[in-house]
């Protein structure tokens, strides 16, 4: 089974974090979309979402069994 990979463009590292977000212009308040991040890209992806007011939470990624 392939590992879940980081969502950063071109990154092939295994995901360590889930960035939970939503765009309030198109999503209901309780809806959460997920980007995956490796340790190296957690901050840059969080900053990208945060600067737009989309980031809701960052939690450790637990791959499906």
């Amino acid at each position: 089974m392939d590992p879940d990979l980081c969502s950063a463009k071109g990154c092939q590292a295994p995901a360590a974090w889930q960035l939970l977000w939503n765009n309030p212009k198109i999503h209901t308040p309780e809806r959460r979309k997920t980007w995956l991040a490796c340790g190296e890209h957690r901050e840059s992806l969080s900053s990208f979402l945060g600067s737009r007011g989309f980031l809701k939470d960052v939690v450790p990624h637990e791959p499906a069994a």
Side-chain angles (χ1 to χ4, degrees):
M1 178 182 223
D2 292 333
D4 295 330
L5 300 179
C6 178
S7 297
K9 185 174 182 176
C11 186
Q12 294 295 303
W17 300 96
Q18 292 182 177
L19 285 60
L20 307 177
W21 64 278
N22 82 2
N23 179 341
K25 292 182 179 179
I26 59 175
H27 301 128
T28 59
E30 64 279 352
R31 171 105 188 256
R32 293 293 180 267
K33 306 235 349 153
T34 302
W35 278 3
L36 299 176
C38 65
E40 181 180 348
H41 291 112
R42 175 186 174 187
E43 188 60 39
S44 61
L45 292 173
S46 293
S47 292
F48 179 86
L49 292 169
S51 69
R52 289 156 178 78
F54 295 174
L55 187 62
K56 301 302 178 191
D57 202 4
V58 177
V59 299
H61 176 59
E62 297 186 21

